[in-house]
Amino acid sequence: MAYLTFAEYASYGFSTIANESAFDPIEANAESQFDAVTQSYYVKNSIADDTDTDRVAIFKKALALQCDFVAKTGITSPTDLVDKAIKSISIGRTSITRSQDYTAVVDSSSGICYSALNLLGQTGLLFRGVGAIWHP
């Protein structure tokens, strides 16, 4: 089951992705990226049964934002980020210059845009701490 539907994506005000058939593969890719950084929280726990409605709403908004970012930039992984980070290359008399640099807006280890990561941070799903038991 997808974490986010096309109707939910559109309800957040995003319109870069025109239809559901274009949305589904982008959403599936973004899901995989989110699972990697959230330690597969919603693989292990049902998003539909989560009683923390604020966490679910923020998670879905972050996912919608990531889907929109992917649709606009084509960056679906850290590898894509590296490929798009090349600003210029010259071979002989041929020179190619890229005008876009996404390294300032995308986490290089996950490929997720910083705006979506900031939202995910509000959910607590990025927490990596270990519980400690203190005995006096």
Side-chain angles (χ1 to χ4, degrees), residues 5-46:
T5 65
F6 180 72
E8 289 170 324
Y9 164 82
S11 74
Y12 287 111
F14 297 110
S15 60
T16 303
I17 304 171
N19 56 52
E20 195 165 349
S21 62
F23 172 78
D24 288 343
I26 292 172
E27 193 275 341
N29 180 272
E31 256 187 47
S32 296
Q33 290 176 299
F34 276 38
D35 286 342
V37 297
T38 63
Q39 297 179 0
S40 300
Y41 182 82
Y42 283 122
V43 171
K44 300 170 188 168
N45 303 283
S46 171

PDB file of all heavy atoms in Angstrom, residues 5-46:
ATOM      1  N   THR A   5      -1.384   8.991  -1.743  1.00  0.00           N
ATOM      2  CA  THR A   5      -2.139   8.860  -2.984  1.00  0.00           C
ATOM      3  C   THR A   5      -1.957  10.119  -3.822  1.00  0.00           C
ATOM      4  O   THR A   5      -1.528  11.165  -3.311  1.00  0.00           O
ATOM      5  CB  THR A   5      -3.638   8.663  -2.708  1.00  0.00           C
ATOM      6  OG1 THR A   5      -4.148   9.852  -2.088  1.00  0.00           O
ATOM      7  CG2 THR A   5      -3.888   7.441  -1.827  1.00  0.00           C
ATOM      8  N   PHE A   6      -2.314  10.016  -5.081  1.00  0.00           N
ATOM      9  CA  PHE A   6      -2.233  11.183  -5.958  1.00  0.00           C
ATOM     10  C   PHE A   6      -3.166  12.291  -5.462  1.00  0.00           C
ATOM     11  O   PHE A   6      -2.812  13.472  -5.502  1.00  0.00           O
ATOM     12  CB  PHE A   6      -2.565  10.796  -7.404  1.00  0.00           C
ATOM     13  CG  PHE A   6      -2.502  11.961  -8.347  1.00  0.00           C
ATOM     14  CD1 PHE A   6      -1.280  12.523  -8.699  1.00  0.00           C
ATOM     15  CD2 PHE A   6      -3.657  12.511  -8.877  1.00  0.00           C
ATOM     16  CE1 PHE A   6      -1.214  13.613  -9.560  1.00  0.00           C
ATOM     17  CE2 PHE A   6      -3.595  13.589  -9.735  1.00  0.00           C
ATOM     18  CZ  PHE A   6      -2.378  14.147 -10.083  1.00  0.00           C
ATOM     19  N   ALA A   7      -4.341  11.917  -4.976  1.00  0.00           N
ATOM     20  CA  ALA A   7      -5.294  12.912  -4.459  1.00  0.00           C
ATOM     21  C   ALA A   7      -4.711  13.650  -3.249  1.00  0.00           C
ATOM     22  O   ALA A   7      -4.877  14.872  -3.123  1.00  0.00           O
ATOM     23  CB  ALA A   7      -6.608  12.233  -4.089  1.00  0.00           C
ATOM     24  N   GLU A   8      -4.015  12.919  -2.374  1.00  0.00           N
ATOM     25  CA  GLU A   8      -3.379  13.566  -1.221  1.00  0.00           C
ATOM     26  C   GLU A   8      -2.261  14.494  -1.679  1.00  0.00           C
ATOM     27  O   GLU A   8      -2.112  15.608  -1.150  1.00  0.00           O
ATOM     28  CB  GLU A   8      -2.830  12.511  -0.259  1.00  0.00           C
ATOM     29  CG  GLU A   8      -3.889  11.748   0.490  1.00  0.00           C
ATOM     30  CD  GLU A   8      -3.341  10.556   1.251  1.00  0.00           C
ATOM     31  OE1 GLU A   8      -2.399   9.890   0.750  1.00  0.00           O
ATOM     32  OE2 GLU A   8      -3.873  10.294   2.347  1.00  0.00           O
ATOM     33  N   TYR A   9      -1.476  14.058  -2.650  1.00  0.00           N
ATOM     34  CA  TYR A   9      -0.412  14.892  -3.216  1.00  0.00           C
ATOM     35  C   TYR A   9      -0.996  16.212  -3.718  1.00  0.00           C
ATOM     36  O   TYR A   9      -0.503  17.293  -3.385  1.00  0.00           O
ATOM     37  CB  TYR A   9       0.287  14.126  -4.350  1.00  0.00           C
ATOM     38  CG  TYR A   9       1.125  14.979  -5.270  1.00  0.00           C
ATOM     39  CD1 TYR A   9       2.421  15.348  -4.915  1.00  0.00           C
ATOM     40  CD2 TYR A   9       0.637  15.400  -6.498  1.00  0.00           C
ATOM     41  CE1 TYR A   9       3.198  16.117  -5.759  1.00  0.00           C
ATOM     42  CE2 TYR A   9       1.401  16.175  -7.351  1.00  0.00           C
ATOM     43  CZ  TYR A   9       2.683  16.534  -6.975  1.00  0.00           C
ATOM     44  OH  TYR A   9       3.454  17.308  -7.813  1.00  0.00           O
ATOM     45  N   ALA A  10      -2.056  16.122  -4.479  1.00  0.00           N
ATOM     46  CA  ALA A  10      -2.691  17.322  -5.027  1.00  0.00           C
ATOM     47  C   ALA A  10      -3.306  18.187  -3.930  1.00  0.00           C
ATOM     48  O   ALA A  10      -3.321  19.420  -4.040  1.00  0.00           O
ATOM     49  CB  ALA A  10      -3.741  16.932  -6.061  1.00  0.00           C
ATOM     50  N   SER A  11      -3.804  17.551  -2.869  1.00  0.00           N
ATOM     51  CA  SER A  11      -4.448  18.314  -1.790  1.00  0.00           C
ATOM     52  C   SER A  11      -3.459  19.205  -1.041  1.00  0.00           C
ATOM     53  O   SER A  11      -3.856  20.175  -0.406  1.00  0.00           O
ATOM     54  CB  SER A  11      -5.149  17.374  -0.807  1.00  0.00           C
ATOM     55  OG  SER A  11      -4.215  16.705   0.017  1.00  0.00           O
ATOM     56  N   TYR A  12      -2.169  18.887  -1.107  1.00  0.00           N
ATOM     57  CA  TYR A  12      -1.152  19.734  -0.495  1.00  0.00           C
ATOM     58  C   TYR A  12      -0.781  20.922  -1.387  1.00  0.00           C
ATOM     59  O   TYR A  12       0.079  21.718  -1.029  1.00  0.00           O
ATOM     60  CB  TYR A  12       0.098  18.921  -0.151  1.00  0.00           C
ATOM     61  CG  TYR A  12      -0.089  18.016   1.037  1.00  0.00           C
ATOM     62  CD1 TYR A  12      -0.117  16.641   0.895  1.00  0.00           C
ATOM     63  CD2 TYR A  12      -0.253  18.540   2.317  1.00  0.00           C
ATOM     64  CE1 TYR A  12      -0.299  15.806   1.989  1.00  0.00           C
ATOM     65  CE2 TYR A  12      -0.441  17.713   3.418  1.00  0.00           C
ATOM     66  CZ  TYR A  12      -0.465  16.351   3.243  1.00  0.00           C
ATOM     67  OH  TYR A  12      -0.651  15.529   4.328  1.00  0.00           O
ATOM     68  N   GLY A  13      -1.411  21.030  -2.523  1.00  0.00           N
ATOM     69  CA  GLY A  13      -1.185  22.165  -3.412  1.00  0.00           C
ATOM     70  C   GLY A  13      -0.126  21.941  -4.472  1.00  0.00           C
ATOM     71  O   GLY A  13       0.231  22.862  -5.196  1.00  0.00           O
ATOM     72  N   PHE A  14       0.370  20.729  -4.592  1.00  0.00           N
ATOM     73  CA  PHE A  14       1.377  20.433  -5.611  1.00  0.00           C
ATOM     74  C   PHE A  14       0.695  20.061  -6.923  1.00  0.00           C
ATOM     75  O   PHE A  14      -0.341  19.405  -6.919  1.00  0.00           O
ATOM     76  CB  PHE A  14       2.291  19.285  -5.160  1.00  0.00           C
ATOM     77  CG  PHE A  14       3.083  19.609  -3.927  1.00  0.00           C
ATOM     78  CD1 PHE A  14       2.807  18.984  -2.719  1.00  0.00           C
ATOM     79  CD2 PHE A  14       4.104  20.546  -3.963  1.00  0.00           C
ATOM     80  CE1 PHE A  14       3.530  19.271  -1.573  1.00  0.00           C
ATOM     81  CE2 PHE A  14       4.838  20.849  -2.819  1.00  0.00           C
ATOM     82  CZ  PHE A  14       4.543  20.210  -1.624  1.00  0.00           C
ATOM     83  N   SER A  15       1.294  20.491  -8.027  1.00  0.00           N
ATOM     84  CA  SER A  15       0.675  20.210  -9.326  1.00  0.00           C
ATOM     85  C   SER A  15       1.690  19.870 -10.415  1.00  0.00           C
ATOM     86  O   SER A  15       1.325  19.782 -11.585  1.00  0.00           O
ATOM     87  CB  SER A  15      -0.158  21.413  -9.766  1.00  0.00           C
ATOM     88  OG  SER A  15       0.669  22.566  -9.872  1.00  0.00           O
ATOM     89  N   THR A  16       2.950  19.679 -10.042  1.00  0.00           N
ATOM     90  CA  THR A  16       3.975  19.374 -11.038  1.00  0.00           C
ATOM     91  C   THR A  16       3.692  18.051 -11.734  1.00  0.00           C
ATOM     92  O   THR A  16       3.876  17.922 -12.941  1.00  0.00           O
ATOM     93  CB  THR A  16       5.368  19.338 -10.378  1.00  0.00           C
ATOM     94  OG1 THR A  16       5.595  20.592  -9.733  1.00  0.00           O
ATOM     95  CG2 THR A  16       6.452  19.082 -11.400  1.00  0.00           C
ATOM     96  N   ILE A  17       3.245  17.051 -10.964  1.00  0.00           N
ATOM     97  CA  ILE A  17       2.913  15.749 -11.540  1.00  0.00           C
ATOM     98  C   ILE A  17       1.464  15.808 -11.999  1.00  0.00           C
ATOM     99  O   ILE A  17       0.561  16.080 -11.213  1.00  0.00           O
ATOM    100  CB  ILE A  17       3.118  14.622 -10.507  1.00  0.00           C
ATOM    101  CG1 ILE A  17       4.558  14.659  -9.961  1.00  0.00           C
ATOM    102  CG2 ILE A  17       2.816  13.270 -11.134  1.00  0.00           C
ATOM    103  CD1 ILE A  17       4.805  13.739  -8.789  1.00  0.00           C
ATOM    104  N   ALA A  18       1.250  15.547 -13.280  1.00  0.00           N
ATOM    105  CA  ALA A  18      -0.053  15.791 -13.888  1.00  0.00           C
ATOM    106  C   ALA A  18      -1.106  14.721 -13.636  1.00  0.00           C
ATOM    107  O   ALA A  18      -2.293  15.018 -13.595  1.00  0.00           O
ATOM    108  CB  ALA A  18       0.113  15.990 -15.392  1.00  0.00           C
ATOM    109  N   ASN A  19      -0.672  13.468 -13.489  1.00  0.00           N
ATOM    110  CA  ASN A  19      -1.680  12.404 -13.355  1.00  0.00           C
ATOM    111  C   ASN A  19      -1.152  11.259 -12.503  1.00  0.00           C
ATOM    112  O   ASN A  19       0.025  11.188 -12.183  1.00  0.00           O
ATOM    113  CB  ASN A  19      -2.117  11.897 -14.731  1.00  0.00           C
ATOM    114  CG  ASN A  19      -0.948  11.409 -15.551  1.00  0.00           C
ATOM    115  OD1 ASN A  19      -0.147  10.594 -15.099  1.00  0.00           O
ATOM    116  ND2 ASN A  19      -0.829  11.923 -16.770  1.00  0.00           N
ATOM    117  N   GLU A  20      -2.057  10.362 -12.170  1.00  0.00           N
ATOM    118  CA  GLU A  20      -1.723   9.261 -11.253  1.00  0.00           C
ATOM    119  C   GLU A  20      -0.709   8.291 -11.851  1.00  0.00           C
ATOM    120  O   GLU A  20       0.148   7.768 -11.137  1.00  0.00           O
ATOM    121  CB  GLU A  20      -2.998   8.517 -10.866  1.00  0.00           C
ATOM    122  CG  GLU A  20      -2.815   7.629  -9.680  1.00  0.00           C
ATOM    123  CD  GLU A  20      -4.124   7.166  -9.067  1.00  0.00           C
ATOM    124  OE1 GLU A  20      -5.183   7.695  -9.429  1.00  0.00           O
ATOM    125  OE2 GLU A  20      -4.062   6.249  -8.229  1.00  0.00           O
ATOM    126  N   SER A  21      -0.771   8.060 -13.151  1.00  0.00           N
ATOM    127  CA  SER A  21       0.165   7.108 -13.755  1.00  0.00           C
ATOM    128  C   SER A  21       1.603   7.639 -13.717  1.00  0.00           C
ATOM    129  O   SER A  21       2.554   6.860 -13.609  1.00  0.00           O
ATOM    130  CB  SER A  21      -0.253   6.763 -15.181  1.00  0.00           C
ATOM    131  OG  SER A  21      -0.231   7.909 -15.998  1.00  0.00           O
ATOM    132  N   ALA A  22       1.773   8.951 -13.784  1.00  0.00           N
ATOM    133  CA  ALA A  22       3.109   9.542 -13.652  1.00  0.00           C
ATOM    134  C   ALA A  22       3.523   9.619 -12.184  1.00  0.00           C
ATOM    135  O   ALA A  22       4.707   9.528 -11.851  1.00  0.00           O
ATOM    136  CB  ALA A  22       3.127  10.933 -14.268  1.00  0.00           C
ATOM    137  N   PHE A  23       2.540   9.756 -11.302  1.00  0.00           N
ATOM    138  CA  PHE A  23       2.799   9.900  -9.871  1.00  0.00           C
ATOM    139  C   PHE A  23       3.267   8.602  -9.220  1.00  0.00           C
ATOM    140  O   PHE A  23       4.184   8.614  -8.395  1.00  0.00           O
ATOM    141  CB  PHE A  23       1.523  10.405  -9.177  1.00  0.00           C
ATOM    142  CG  PHE A  23       1.598  10.417  -7.684  1.00  0.00           C
ATOM    143  CD1 PHE A  23       2.269  11.414  -7.014  1.00  0.00           C
ATOM    144  CD2 PHE A  23       0.985   9.411  -6.935  1.00  0.00           C
ATOM    145  CE1 PHE A  23       2.336  11.433  -5.630  1.00  0.00           C
ATOM    146  CE2 PHE A  23       1.047   9.412  -5.555  1.00  0.00           C
ATOM    147  CZ  PHE A  23       1.729  10.428  -4.901  1.00  0.00           C
ATOM    148  N   ASP A  24       2.653   7.491  -9.569  1.00  0.00           N
ATOM    149  CA  ASP A  24       2.907   6.219  -8.879  1.00  0.00           C
ATOM    150  C   ASP A  24       4.383   5.809  -8.836  1.00  0.00           C
ATOM    151  O   ASP A  24       4.888   5.467  -7.768  1.00  0.00           O
ATOM    152  CB  ASP A  24       2.049   5.105  -9.465  1.00  0.00           C
ATOM    153  CG  ASP A  24       0.578   5.250  -9.092  1.00  0.00           C
ATOM    154  OD1 ASP A  24       0.268   5.997  -8.130  1.00  0.00           O
ATOM    155  OD2 ASP A  24      -0.268   4.624  -9.765  1.00  0.00           O
ATOM    156  N   PRO A  25       5.132   5.827  -9.954  1.00  0.00           N
ATOM    157  CA  PRO A  25       6.545   5.425  -9.854  1.00  0.00           C
ATOM    158  C   PRO A  25       7.391   6.425  -9.060  1.00  0.00           C
ATOM    159  O   PRO A  25       8.335   6.027  -8.369  1.00  0.00           O
ATOM    160  CB  PRO A  25       7.015   5.340 -11.306  1.00  0.00           C
ATOM    161  CG  PRO A  25       5.986   6.023 -12.126  1.00  0.00           C
ATOM    162  CD  PRO A  25       4.721   6.042 -11.350  1.00  0.00           C
ATOM    163  N   ILE A  26       7.047   7.699  -9.127  1.00  0.00           N
ATOM    164  CA  ILE A  26       7.783   8.707  -8.364  1.00  0.00           C
ATOM    165  C   ILE A  26       7.538   8.507  -6.874  1.00  0.00           C
ATOM    166  O   ILE A  26       8.452   8.552  -6.064  1.00  0.00           O
ATOM    167  CB  ILE A  26       7.388  10.134  -8.815  1.00  0.00           C
ATOM    168  CG1 ILE A  26       7.884  10.385 -10.235  1.00  0.00           C
ATOM    169  CG2 ILE A  26       7.935  11.189  -7.858  1.00  0.00           C
ATOM    170  CD1 ILE A  26       7.397  11.672 -10.854  1.00  0.00           C
ATOM    171  N   GLU A  27       6.285   8.257  -6.515  1.00  0.00           N
ATOM    172  CA  GLU A  27       5.933   8.032  -5.111  1.00  0.00           C
ATOM    173  C   GLU A  27       6.601   6.769  -4.584  1.00  0.00           C
ATOM    174  O   GLU A  27       7.111   6.756  -3.458  1.00  0.00           O
ATOM    175  CB  GLU A  27       4.407   7.933  -4.960  1.00  0.00           C
ATOM    176  CG  GLU A  27       3.910   8.017  -3.522  1.00  0.00           C
ATOM    177  CD  GLU A  27       3.932   6.694  -2.783  1.00  0.00           C
ATOM    178  OE1 GLU A  27       3.989   5.626  -3.444  1.00  0.00           O
ATOM    179  OE2 GLU A  27       3.909   6.704  -1.543  1.00  0.00           O
ATOM    180  N   ALA A  28       6.645   5.719  -5.384  1.00  0.00           N
ATOM    181  CA  ALA A  28       7.282   4.464  -4.966  1.00  0.00           C
ATOM    182  C   ALA A  28       8.768   4.685  -4.691  1.00  0.00           C
ATOM    183  O   ALA A  28       9.320   4.158  -3.716  1.00  0.00           O
ATOM    184  CB  ALA A  28       7.074   3.385  -6.016  1.00  0.00           C
ATOM    185  N   ASN A  29       9.418   5.473  -5.528  1.00  0.00           N
ATOM    186  CA  ASN A  29      10.836   5.771  -5.326  1.00  0.00           C
ATOM    187  C   ASN A  29      11.037   6.603  -4.064  1.00  0.00           C
ATOM    188  O   ASN A  29      11.933   6.323  -3.265  1.00  0.00           O
ATOM    189  CB  ASN A  29      11.396   6.504  -6.545  1.00  0.00           C
ATOM    190  CG  ASN A  29      12.857   6.826  -6.381  1.00  0.00           C
ATOM    191  OD1 ASN A  29      13.199   7.869  -5.830  1.00  0.00           O
ATOM    192  ND2 ASN A  29      13.709   5.937  -6.841  1.00  0.00           N
ATOM    193  N   ALA A  30      10.197   7.607  -3.868  1.00  0.00           N
ATOM    194  CA  ALA A  30      10.304   8.453  -2.674  1.00  0.00           C
ATOM    195  C   ALA A  30      10.046   7.631  -1.408  1.00  0.00           C
ATOM    196  O   ALA A  30      10.692   7.850  -0.381  1.00  0.00           O
ATOM    197  CB  ALA A  30       9.333   9.623  -2.767  1.00  0.00           C
ATOM    198  N   GLU A  31       9.113   6.702  -1.484  1.00  0.00           N
ATOM    199  CA  GLU A  31       8.847   5.792  -0.356  1.00  0.00           C
ATOM    200  C   GLU A  31      10.113   5.050   0.043  1.00  0.00           C
ATOM    201  O   GLU A  31      10.431   4.944   1.228  1.00  0.00           O
ATOM    202  CB  GLU A  31       7.801   4.748  -0.768  1.00  0.00           C
ATOM    203  CG  GLU A  31       6.444   4.977  -0.242  1.00  0.00           C
ATOM    204  CD  GLU A  31       5.506   3.819  -0.561  1.00  0.00           C
ATOM    205  OE1 GLU A  31       5.888   2.648  -0.357  1.00  0.00           O
ATOM    206  OE2 GLU A  31       4.395   4.113  -1.002  1.00  0.00           O
ATOM    207  N   SER A  32      10.820   4.521  -0.938  1.00  0.00           N
ATOM    208  CA  SER A  32      12.059   3.785  -0.663  1.00  0.00           C
ATOM    209  C   SER A  32      13.090   4.678   0.010  1.00  0.00           C
ATOM    210  O   SER A  32      13.778   4.252   0.944  1.00  0.00           O
ATOM    211  CB  SER A  32      12.644   3.216  -1.951  1.00  0.00           C
ATOM    212  OG  SER A  32      11.772   2.278  -2.510  1.00  0.00           O
ATOM    213  N   GLN A  33      13.205   5.911  -0.466  1.00  0.00           N
ATOM    214  CA  GLN A  33      14.145   6.848   0.145  1.00  0.00           C
ATOM    215  C   GLN A  33      13.750   7.141   1.598  1.00  0.00           C
ATOM    216  O   GLN A  33      14.591   7.183   2.484  1.00  0.00           O
ATOM    217  CB  GLN A  33      14.190   8.151  -0.648  1.00  0.00           C
ATOM    218  CG  GLN A  33      14.848   8.018  -2.004  1.00  0.00           C
ATOM    219  CD  GLN A  33      14.764   9.309  -2.778  1.00  0.00           C
ATOM    220  OE1 GLN A  33      13.675   9.796  -3.070  1.00  0.00           O
ATOM    221  NE2 GLN A  33      15.909   9.876  -3.084  1.00  0.00           N
ATOM    222  N   PHE A  34      12.458   7.345   1.833  1.00  0.00           N
ATOM    223  CA  PHE A  34      11.978   7.645   3.182  1.00  0.00           C
ATOM    224  C   PHE A  34      12.157   6.442   4.102  1.00  0.00           C
ATOM    225  O   PHE A  34      12.504   6.603   5.267  1.00  0.00           O
ATOM    226  CB  PHE A  34      10.518   8.086   3.146  1.00  0.00           C
ATOM    227  CG  PHE A  34      10.329   9.560   2.850  1.00  0.00           C
ATOM    228  CD1 PHE A  34      11.132  10.221   1.944  1.00  0.00           C
ATOM    229  CD2 PHE A  34       9.338  10.273   3.482  1.00  0.00           C
ATOM    230  CE1 PHE A  34      10.966  11.561   1.667  1.00  0.00           C
ATOM    231  CE2 PHE A  34       9.152  11.618   3.227  1.00  0.00           C
ATOM    232  CZ  PHE A  34       9.968  12.272   2.320  1.00  0.00           C
ATOM    233  N   ASP A  35      11.898   5.242   3.587  1.00  0.00           N
ATOM    234  CA  ASP A  35      12.094   4.033   4.399  1.00  0.00           C
ATOM    235  C   ASP A  35      13.543   3.920   4.860  1.00  0.00           C
ATOM    236  O   ASP A  35      13.809   3.514   5.993  1.00  0.00           O
ATOM    237  CB  ASP A  35      11.687   2.781   3.622  1.00  0.00           C
ATOM    238  CG  ASP A  35      10.186   2.623   3.487  1.00  0.00           C
ATOM    239  OD1 ASP A  35       9.432   3.271   4.259  1.00  0.00           O
ATOM    240  OD2 ASP A  35       9.753   1.865   2.603  1.00  0.00           O
ATOM    241  N   ALA A  36      14.466   4.302   3.994  1.00  0.00           N
ATOM    242  CA  ALA A  36      15.887   4.210   4.338  1.00  0.00           C
ATOM    243  C   ALA A  36      16.258   5.149   5.482  1.00  0.00           C
ATOM    244  O   ALA A  36      17.037   4.779   6.362  1.00  0.00           O
ATOM    245  CB  ALA A  36      16.746   4.509   3.114  1.00  0.00           C
ATOM    246  N   VAL A  37      15.705   6.354   5.496  1.00  0.00           N
ATOM    247  CA  VAL A  37      16.087   7.313   6.540  1.00  0.00           C
ATOM    248  C   VAL A  37      15.238   7.203   7.800  1.00  0.00           C
ATOM    249  O   VAL A  37      15.638   7.695   8.855  1.00  0.00           O
ATOM    250  CB  VAL A  37      16.085   8.777   6.024  1.00  0.00           C
ATOM    251  CG1 VAL A  37      17.102   8.965   4.924  1.00  0.00           C
ATOM    252  CG2 VAL A  37      14.708   9.228   5.618  1.00  0.00           C
ATOM    253  N   THR A  38      14.091   6.545   7.716  1.00  0.00           N
ATOM    254  CA  THR A  38      13.226   6.397   8.897  1.00  0.00           C
ATOM    255  C   THR A  38      13.314   4.994   9.498  1.00  0.00           C
ATOM    256  O   THR A  38      12.486   4.622  10.321  1.00  0.00           O
ATOM    257  CB  THR A  38      11.750   6.689   8.559  1.00  0.00           C
ATOM    258  OG1 THR A  38      11.287   5.739   7.600  1.00  0.00           O
ATOM    259  CG2 THR A  38      11.562   8.096   8.044  1.00  0.00           C
ATOM    260  N   GLN A  39      14.304   4.243   9.096  1.00  0.00           N
ATOM    261  CA  GLN A  39      14.487   2.864   9.544  1.00  0.00           C
ATOM    262  C   GLN A  39      13.225   2.039   9.302  1.00  0.00           C
ATOM    263  O   GLN A  39      12.813   1.233  10.124  1.00  0.00           O
ATOM    264  CB  GLN A  39      14.891   2.821  11.025  1.00  0.00           C
ATOM    265  CG  GLN A  39      16.212   3.496  11.287  1.00  0.00           C
ATOM    266  CD  GLN A  39      16.609   3.478  12.746  1.00  0.00           C
ATOM    267  OE1 GLN A  39      15.913   2.966  13.609  1.00  0.00           O
ATOM    268  NE2 GLN A  39      17.762   4.054  13.026  1.00  0.00           N
ATOM    269  N   SER A  40      12.606   2.280   8.163  1.00  0.00           N
ATOM    270  CA  SER A  40      11.419   1.541   7.708  1.00  0.00           C
ATOM    271  C   SER A  40      10.279   1.564   8.723  1.00  0.00           C
ATOM    272  O   SER A  40       9.564   0.582   8.899  1.00  0.00           O
ATOM    273  CB  SER A  40      11.790   0.093   7.363  1.00  0.00           C
ATOM    274  OG  SER A  40      12.756   0.077   6.342  1.00  0.00           O
ATOM    275  N   TYR A  41      10.078   2.708   9.352  1.00  0.00           N
ATOM    276  CA  TYR A  41       9.062   2.807  10.395  1.00  0.00           C
ATOM    277  C   TYR A  41       7.685   2.376   9.898  1.00  0.00           C
ATOM    278  O   TYR A  41       6.990   1.600  10.546  1.00  0.00           O
ATOM    279  CB  TYR A  41       8.997   4.234  10.959  1.00  0.00           C
ATOM    280  CG  TYR A  41       7.990   4.366  12.074  1.00  0.00           C
ATOM    281  CD1 TYR A  41       8.330   3.979  13.368  1.00  0.00           C
ATOM    282  CD2 TYR A  41       6.709   4.843  11.846  1.00  0.00           C
ATOM    283  CE1 TYR A  41       7.419   4.071  14.409  1.00  0.00           C
ATOM    284  CE2 TYR A  41       5.784   4.938  12.875  1.00  0.00           C
ATOM    285  CZ  TYR A  41       6.151   4.552  14.152  1.00  0.00           C
ATOM    286  OH  TYR A  41       5.237   4.638  15.170  1.00  0.00           O
ATOM    287  N   TYR A  42       7.293   2.881   8.719  1.00  0.00           N
ATOM    288  CA  TYR A  42       5.961   2.545   8.214  1.00  0.00           C
ATOM    289  C   TYR A  42       5.922   1.236   7.427  1.00  0.00           C
ATOM    290  O   TYR A  42       4.875   0.838   6.946  1.00  0.00           O
ATOM    291  CB  TYR A  42       5.366   3.698   7.414  1.00  0.00           C
ATOM    292  CG  TYR A  42       4.859   4.798   8.329  1.00  0.00           C
ATOM    293  CD1 TYR A  42       5.337   6.091   8.240  1.00  0.00           C
ATOM    294  CD2 TYR A  42       3.908   4.531   9.309  1.00  0.00           C
ATOM    295  CE1 TYR A  42       4.876   7.086   9.083  1.00  0.00           C
ATOM    296  CE2 TYR A  42       3.447   5.515  10.161  1.00  0.00           C
ATOM    297  CZ  TYR A  42       3.928   6.789  10.048  1.00  0.00           C
ATOM    298  OH  TYR A  42       3.470   7.772  10.894  1.00  0.00           O
ATOM    299  N   VAL A  43       7.033   0.552   7.325  1.00  0.00           N
ATOM    300  CA  VAL A  43       7.024  -0.833   6.853  1.00  0.00           C
ATOM    301  C   VAL A  43       6.659  -1.727   8.031  1.00  0.00           C
ATOM    302  O   VAL A  43       5.888  -2.673   7.892  1.00  0.00           O
ATOM    303  CB  VAL A  43       8.402  -1.231   6.270  1.00  0.00           C
ATOM    304  CG1 VAL A  43       8.467  -2.714   5.986  1.00  0.00           C
ATOM    305  CG2 VAL A  43       8.702  -0.427   5.016  1.00  0.00           C
ATOM    306  N   LYS A  44       7.193  -1.372   9.198  1.00  0.00           N
ATOM    307  CA  LYS A  44       6.958  -2.152  10.410  1.00  0.00           C
ATOM    308  C   LYS A  44       5.642  -1.783  11.106  1.00  0.00           C
ATOM    309  O   LYS A  44       5.109  -2.579  11.871  1.00  0.00           O
ATOM    310  CB  LYS A  44       8.113  -1.941  11.390  1.00  0.00           C
ATOM    311  CG  LYS A  44       9.457  -2.366  10.832  1.00  0.00           C
ATOM    312  CD  LYS A  44      10.582  -1.901  11.741  1.00  0.00           C
ATOM    313  CE  LYS A  44      11.929  -2.135  11.097  1.00  0.00           C
ATOM    314  NZ  LYS A  44      13.006  -1.466  11.802  1.00  0.00           N
ATOM    315  N   ASN A  45       5.168  -0.567  10.877  1.00  0.00           N
ATOM    316  CA  ASN A  45       3.945  -0.064  11.513  1.00  0.00           C
ATOM    317  C   ASN A  45       3.017   0.477  10.430  1.00  0.00           C
ATOM    318  O   ASN A  45       3.467   1.158   9.519  1.00  0.00           O
ATOM    319  CB  ASN A  45       4.279   1.060  12.502  1.00  0.00           C
ATOM    320  CG  ASN A  45       5.267   0.631  13.554  1.00  0.00           C
ATOM    321  OD1 ASN A  45       4.921  -0.058  14.487  1.00  0.00           O
ATOM    322  ND2 ASN A  45       6.527   1.015  13.384  1.00  0.00           N
ATOM    323  N   SER A  46       1.754   0.221  10.549  1.00  0.00           N
ATOM    324  CA  SER A  46       0.786   0.669   9.548  1.00  0.00           C
ATOM    325  C   SER A  46       0.563   2.176   9.642  1.00  0.00           C
ATOM    326  O   SER A  46       0.227   2.692  10.718  1.00  0.00           O
ATOM    327  CB  SER A  46      -0.547  -0.051   9.745  1.00  0.00           C
ATOM    328  OG  SER A  46      -1.532   0.533   8.928  1.00  0.00           O
TER     329      SER A  46
END
